[in-house]
């Protein structure tokens, strides 16, 4: 056992002699005694693995508490409020009618950014080197306070049918690899397009549902992603320094910092990150060389067998701990989901090994619903988890600035008619040689991301309540059948 | 950085700042508990309970009443006492020093010669004396801290230490000398 330091020993002796001065005459005996006493201390070093596990448990508890304390409001009404990384002022204005020009919105936000002041003079500016006296000149506040004010999902309400009817172009066929197989694009097949594999000739498929549809409202909210809606922080006073004394950057006009790349200066398990102010995204990736140091020989290749895949709750907890460690709020997100590619592809048998890194998706909460991508996968904040290191190893988080508008929903008859022809991804021959039937089952309403190119060639992204039907694929079927049929419920939103 | 900043942040709801507090005190609290239980598994369980309880109660910590360390040690001490009560332990916390050979205490002490000698001497002391000695010499807590944790005056704590040391010295060193010779 460790001996006491001389200073510590002297202090203990002095304390003893202070109370009982008569002991001082045998100082060496008492010194020896205290040394032996201290040396008899049992091995009380805490086990490193236990210490780390307890720390993780504590962080998990913190993450749970934060989730439980989520405020009751889920919909963030963005009524002219601001979101940006460097500022904290939230300006409320009257409800804004839908503006056609994102540029107008951008101008408003930029002006208000310049007026923002730090919440606390003691909070450091994002760019170091600023003295406290200069803080008032910098439109920056502590990241912690910013995150408290930052909403990832912002929604501005607009008038009914505000987006009009969006006409899709034929180029939509190229969006998804499944477009030719009825999973994207909403295109009508003509003779120039190859027939559906395995059906033999020009065959149409009628998708039939004979059950009961779930209830939905007569008017539904459709959300449109606003383009280029992220506010840039104002770093006017910092621009000069970025020239490193070699170029006077102030001689250029209206410079904006569009993105920042950062790297952790650590010896192991470091991260690279990119903050993009244009898209409002933060992309954090493991420093590959530190996470996977060079290794040679077969012993270095140790894949994880499927049988050793940790439980879902363990993987999710590692993701939550990573978020808690880096103060990432899970407000605006629904229950996390682990992406297991083998479930999506329905591979059989199961793969022998699992990837070292898996993705946990925290789907966006838009209004009261979680969003799914147009391919049926959860859509939101992605956390990478390294199964060997048992911790988070990356994060992608982007803001979602939306406008909402109410549209009349399809009637039940209209839903079934659209489903019959393959939904929004329907692929039909105008002169089929034959028509076959596929049964639809288990309809569910989900808020689905739908990305299309409009007739001006511009990509537009919507989140639309959709009815998703599963297809009942016949046994021994020799041709491709899509796993689901998607019917957007908003009437008059899309036109072919 | 001053720990009070982390504590205040925790009290404001930024519980992520509990991590540096945990890092600072994990070893000390574990050692404190192990010195009372002489069982690693029990010490780990109790250490977990202590920190989770501290996390729950940190809002109630009052800077004016005590230092954070003594407040934490008090929670730890109470957890250990509760553990022995709820376990209906036949031998209570004070009798740990009476454990026979083959017991966890000896294993924990890695069968150290010094520990055996110490054990004999410590058995003769009162429980309060043993507790205070281990807190002073093994955990290097000051008399002021010990006083706060055990809820008595500092003068009393100093007196207990001095008398205990005197009572132990004779037996402890004699046994040590005997063991060295033979």
């Amino acid at each position: 056992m460790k001996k006491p330091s001389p200073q510590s020993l002297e202090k203990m002796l002095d304390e003893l002699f202070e109370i009982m001065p008569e002991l001082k005459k045998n100082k060496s005996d008492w010194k020896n005694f205290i040394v032996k006493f201290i040396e008899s201390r049992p091995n009380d070093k805490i086990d490193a693995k236990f210490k780390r596990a307890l720390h993780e448990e504590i962080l998990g508890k913190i993450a749970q508490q934060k989730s439980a304390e989520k405020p009751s409001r889920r919909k963030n009404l963005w009524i002219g409020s601001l979101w940006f990384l460097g500022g904290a002022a939230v300006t409320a204005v009257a409800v804004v009618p839908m503006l056609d020009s994102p540029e107008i919105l951008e101008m408003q936000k930029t002006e208000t950014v310049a007026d923002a002041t730090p919440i606390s003079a003691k909070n450091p500016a994002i760019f170091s080197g600023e003295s406290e006296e200069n803080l008032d000149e910098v439109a920056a506040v502590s990241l912690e306070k910013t995150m408290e004010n930052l909403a990832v999902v912002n929604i501005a309400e607009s008038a009914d049918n505000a987006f009009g009817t969006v006409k899709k172009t034929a180029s939509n066929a190229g969006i998804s690899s499944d477009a030719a197989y009825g999973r994207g694009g909403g295109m009508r097949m003509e003779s120039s397009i190859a027939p559906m594999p395995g059906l033999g000739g020009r065959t149409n498929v009628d998708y039939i549902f004979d059950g009961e549809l779930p209830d939905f409202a007569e008017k539904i909210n459709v959300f449109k992603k606003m383009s280029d809606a992220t506010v840039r922080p104002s770093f006017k006073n910092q621009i000069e320094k970025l020239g490193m004394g070699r170029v006077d950057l102030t001689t250029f006009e209206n410079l904006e910092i569009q993105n920042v790349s950062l790297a952790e200066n650590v010896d192991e398990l470091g991260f690279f990150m990119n903050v993009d102010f244009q898209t409002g995204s933060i992309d954090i990736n493991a420093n590959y060389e530190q996470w996977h140091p060079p290794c040679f020989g077969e012993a270095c290749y140790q894949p994880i067998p499927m049988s050793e895949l940790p439980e879902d709750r363990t993987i999710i907890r590692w993701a939550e701990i990573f978020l808690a460690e880096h103060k990432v709020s899970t407000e605006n997100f629904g229950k996390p989901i682990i992406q297991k590619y083998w479930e999506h592809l329905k591979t059989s048998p199961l793969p022998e090994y699992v990837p070292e890194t898996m993705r946990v998706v925290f789907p966006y909460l838009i209004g009261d619903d979680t969003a799914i991508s147009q391919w049926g996968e959860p859509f939101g904040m992605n956390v990478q988890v390294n199964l060997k290191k048992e911790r988070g190893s990356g994060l992608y988080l982007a803001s979602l600035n939306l406008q909402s508008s109410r549209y009349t929903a399809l009637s039940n008859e209209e839903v079934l008619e659209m489903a019959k022809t393959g939904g929004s991804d329907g692929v039909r021959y105008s002169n089929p040689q034959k028509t076959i039937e596929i049964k639809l089952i288990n309809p569910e309403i989900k808020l689905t991301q739908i990305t299309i190119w409009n007739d001006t060639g511009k990509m537009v992204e919507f989140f639309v309540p959709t009815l998703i039907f599963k297809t009942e694929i016949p046994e021994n079927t020799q041709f491709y059948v899509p796993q689901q049929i998607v019917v957007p419920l908003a009437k008059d939103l899309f036109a072919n | 950085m001053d720990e009070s900043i982390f504590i205040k942040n925790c009290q404001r709801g930024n519980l992520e700042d509990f991590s540096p507090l945990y890092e600072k005190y994990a070893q000390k609290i574990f050692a404190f508990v192990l010195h009372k239980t002489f069982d690693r598994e029990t010490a780990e369980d109790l250490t977990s309970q202590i920190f989770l309880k501290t996390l729950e109660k940190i809002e109630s910590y009052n800077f004016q009443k005590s230092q954070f360390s003594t407040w934490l040690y008090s929670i730890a001490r109470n957890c250990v006492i509760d553990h022995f009560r709820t376990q209906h332990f036949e031998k209570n916390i004070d009798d740990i020093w009476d454990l026979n050979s083959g017991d966890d205490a000896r294993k924990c002490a890695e069968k150290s010669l010094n520990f055996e000698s110490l054990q004999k001497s410590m058995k003769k002391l009162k429980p309060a004396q043993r507790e205070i000695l281990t807190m002073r010499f093994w955990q290097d807590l000051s008399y002021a801290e010990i006083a706060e944790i055990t809820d008595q005056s500092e003068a009393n704590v100093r007196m207990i230490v001095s008398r205990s040391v005197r009572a132990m010295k004779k037996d402890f060193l004699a046994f040590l000398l005997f063991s060295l010779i033979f």
Side-chain angles (χ1 to χ4, degrees):
Chain A
M1 287 288 113
K2 219 173 162 180
K3 285 186 193 267
S5 69
Q7 297 87 346
S8 189
L9 189 55
E10 278 304 312
K11 190 178 175 197
M12 287 178 185
L13 284 167
D14 288 343
E15 284 168 353
L16 269 180
F17 299 151
E18 198 184 317
I19 300 166
M20 303 178 93
E22 67 273 21
L23 302 181
K24 206 168 180 180
K25 62 183 181 218
N26 296 71
K27 184 174 175 178
S28 62
D29 282 348
W30 289 112
K31 193 172 178 180
N32 195 32
F33 170 81
I34 291 175
V35 168
K36 294 297 176 198
F37 192 109
I38 292 172
E39 285 177 348
S40 68
R41 186 174 128 189
N43 177 15
D44 54 20
K45 187 159 168 59
I46 192 170
D47 178 64
K49 205 172 174 186
F50 160 72
K51 186 180 171 192
R52 184 175 153 70
L54 177 55
H55 192 191
E56 287 181 5
E57 189 179 345
I58 289 168
L59 289 173
K61 206 80 170 176
I62 292 169
Q64 270 177 15
Q65 265 180 260
K66 279 202 171 293
S67 258
E69 283 166 12
K70 213 182 293 192
S72 57
R73 68 175 176 91
R74 280 191 175 172
K75 183 176 177 179
N76 294 305
L77 275 180
W78 191 79
I79 311 178
S81 65
L82 298 174
W83 176 91
F84 64 97
L85 199 63
V90 174
T91 305
V93 301
V95 174
V96 179
M98 208 283 284
L99 299 170
D100 282 328
S101 167
E103 288 76 25
I104 295 175
L105 289 169
E106 184 59 55
M107 276 168 55
Q108 286 179 346
K109 286 173 254 175
T110 304
E111 282 166 16
T112 314
V113 166
D115 295 332
T117 53
I119 296 256
S120 162
K122 286 190 179 172
N123 290 322
I126 288 180
F127 280 21
S128 66
E130 281 294 325
S131 66
E132 285 196 11
E133 294 82 50
N134 292 335
L135 278 177
D136 284 341
E137 298 175 10
V138 180
V141 293
S142 75
L143 201 57
E144 182 184 322
K145 202 63 189 173
T146 300
M147 283 186 167
E148 286 178 15
N149 293 331
L150 203 60
V152 174
V153 179
N154 301 286
I155 301 172
E157 285 189 350
S158 312
D160 287 3
N161 288 51
F163 313 131
T165 300
V166 183
K167 200 174 172 188
K168 292 185 274 185
T169 63
S171 62
N172 285 326
I175 295 171
S176 156
S177 59
D178 284 323
Y181 305 110
R183 284 193 67 195
M187 180 181 79
R188 298 277 159 194
M189 290 178 74
E190 299 303 336
S191 58
S192 58
I193 306 297
M196 189 170 288
L199 285 177
R202 301 157 67 86
T203 303
N204 274 350
V205 179
D206 280 354
Y207 298 92
I208 305 297
F209 179 74
D210 56 14
E212 201 171 313
L213 289 175
D215 292 330
F216 48 90
E218 281 184 21
K219 287 270 194 184
I220 54 173
N221 273 319
V222 172
F223 304 89
K224 180 181 174 185
K225 190 173 176 188
M226 295 188 294
S227 61
D228 197 25
T230 301
V231 175
R232 279 83 148 162
S234 171
F235 291 111
K236 288 178 190 169
N237 295 319
Q238 310 301 319
I239 296 285
E240 185 183 338
K241 293 180 184 175
L242 295 178
M244 295 183 284
R246 296 170 197 163
V247 177
D248 184 358
L249 294 179
T250 62
T251 57
F252 296 93
E253 292 183 13
N254 296 325
L255 283 181
E256 292 175 338
I257 294 175
Q258 295 192 332
N259 59 67
V260 172
S261 291
L262 304 157
E264 265 196 316
N265 184 9
V266 294
D267 293 328
E268 54 179 15
L269 302 183
F271 290 93
F272 293 126
M273 54 206 74
N274 185 271
V275 181
D276 189 325
F277 299 121
Q278 293 183 94
T279 59
S281 64
I282 300 174
D283 194 1
I284 299 173
N285 292 287
N287 178 332
Y288 189 83
E289 283 183 5
Q290 289 185 351
W291 285 68
H292 305 92
C295 185
F296 304 96
E298 210 175 298
C300 303
Y301 178 64
Q302 298 288 337
I304 303 171
M306 177 64 78
S307 57
E308 289 180 19
L309 177 66
E311 286 185 1
D312 283 4
R313 61 179 176 176
T314 302
I315 297 173
I316 288 173
R317 191 160 66 91
W318 291 333
E320 286 175 340
I321 288 169
F322 183 78
L323 293 176
E325 278 177 342
H326 301 290
K327 299 183 182 179
V328 180
S329 171
T330 53
E331 184 181 337
N332 295 143
F333 298 100
K335 205 173 151 192
I337 300 162
I338 302 171
Q339 285 196 312
K340 298 176 183 175
Y341 73 90
W342 53 90
E343 287 180 354
H344 177 64
L345 296 177
K346 296 195 187 318
T347 56
S348 179
L350 288 175
E352 206 177 331
Y353 299 107
V354 296
E356 186 174 323
T357 304
M358 292 193 71
R359 179 184 296 170
V360 179
V361 182
F362 290 72
Y364 288 115
L365 266 178
I366 301 175
D368 294 320
D369 301 309
T370 53
I372 62 169
S373 72
Q374 54 198 357
W375 294 280
E377 292 165 5
F379 179 73
M381 170 171 64
N382 297 334
V383 181
Q384 302 290 339
V385 174
N386 187 301
L387 301 186
K388 285 192 179 178
K389 302 276 192 282
E390 297 181 357
R391 57 170 74 193
S393 61
L395 167 73
Y396 181 79
L397 169 61
S399 66
L400 205 56
N401 296 306
L402 306 168
Q403 285 174 346
S404 74
S405 178
R406 295 198 315 161
Y407 275 72
T408 303
L410 297 175
S411 65
N412 284 2
E413 291 73 28
E414 288 167 327
V415 167
L416 293 175
E417 187 55 39
M418 190 182 278
K420 184 179 175 184
T421 57
S424 64
D425 306 336
V427 179
R428 307 285 286 180
Y429 286 102
S430 46
N431 295 309
Q433 289 170 319
K434 65 177 178 181
T435 301
I436 62 170
E437 283 187 0
I438 297 284
K439 196 175 172 188
L440 295 178
I441 55 174
N442 301 336
E444 282 183 287
I445 296 178
K446 296 199 177 172
L447 190 65
T448 306
Q449 176 206 31
I450 295 179
T451 304
I452 62 168
W453 269 265
N454 63 16
D455 53 359
T456 62
K458 201 173 171 185
M459 192 180 87
V460 188
E461 192 172 334
F462 291 94
F463 290 87
V464 185
T466 58
L467 251 176
I468 298 181
F469 298 85
K470 297 287 181 209
T471 52
E472 198 172 70
I473 302 174
E475 272 188 40
N476 303 319
T477 198
Q478 298 299 310
F479 53 87
Y480 174 83
V481 177
Q483 291 176 16
Q484 58 189 29
I485 297 298
V486 176
V487 177
L489 289 174
K491 193 170 180 174
D492 300 329
L493 176 61
F494 298 121
N496 289 326
Chain B
M1 197 180 273
D2 183 6
E3 69 178 18
S4 62
I5 294 172
F6 298 122
I7 298 165
K8 282 175 187 164
N9 284 341
C10 286
Q11 291 181 326
R12 279 193 215 114
N14 298 329
L15 290 173
E16 292 83 4
D17 274 0
F18 190 79
S19 286
L21 298 171
Y22 171 76
E23 287 296 331
K24 183 176 177 182
Y25 289 105
Q27 169 61 51
K28 292 180 185 181
I29 294 296
F30 175 78
F32 178 83
V33 176
L34 187 66
H35 295 161
K36 292 183 177 302
T37 59
F38 286 107
D39 179 82
R40 277 198 162 262
E41 207 177 302
T42 303
E44 285 178 356
D45 286 345
L46 289 175
T47 302
S48 301
Q49 284 180 36
I50 289 159
F51 278 102
L52 291 173
K53 194 172 267 189
T54 306
L55 180 67
E56 266 177 58
K57 294 170 81 167
I58 197 159
E59 264 186 40
S60 66
Y61 165 67
N62 188 337
F63 283 91
Q64 312 302 326
K65 283 192 176 169
S66 64
Q67 285 185 72
F68 180 78
S69 58
T70 51
W71 181 73
L72 180 56
Y73 273 108
S74 300
I75 293 175
R77 188 168 180 265
N78 290 336
C79 270
V80 174
I81 292 170
D82 287 344
H83 163 73
F84 281 97
R85 281 192 192 135
T86 56
Q87 295 294 312
H88 302 292
F89 206 69
E90 286 181 10
K91 294 178 185 297
N92 64 36
I93 185 174
D94 303 322
D95 294 331
I96 282 292
W97 293 91
D98 291 333
L99 293 171
N100 295 327
S101 60
D103 61 69
D104 290 319
R106 286 163 61 86
K107 285 179 199 169
C108 187
E110 297 174 338
K111 297 194 168 90
S112 94
L113 176 64
N114 281 348
F115 182 78
E116 286 189 32
S117 329
L118 183 68
Q119 189 180 10
K120 282 186 179 295
S121 306
M122 291 284 262
K123 274 163 66 172
K124 293 183 178 178
L125 300 180
K126 291 177 187 171
Q129 291 175 314
R130 288 198 289 259
E131 183 182 29
I132 288 170
L133 281 183
T134 54
M135 287 170 84
R136 183 67 193 96
F137 295 122
W138 283 357
Q139 278 125 37
D140 200 20
L141 292 169
S142 70
Y143 288 132
E145 287 171 325
I146 295 170
E148 222 177 302
I149 294 167
T150 57
D151 197 24
Q152 49 190 316
S153 70
E154 192 178 327
N156 203 37
V157 168
R158 287 172 180 265
M159 189 59 64
I160 291 172
V161 168
S162 301
R163 288 178 180 167
S164 308
V165 162
R166 190 187 290 193
M168 278 183 63
K169 184 197 169 205
K170 195 176 166 186
D171 285 331
F172 182 47
L173 284 178
F175 184 80
L176 198 62
L177 187 63
F178 181 80
S179 307
L180 286 170
I181 293 169
F182 295 100

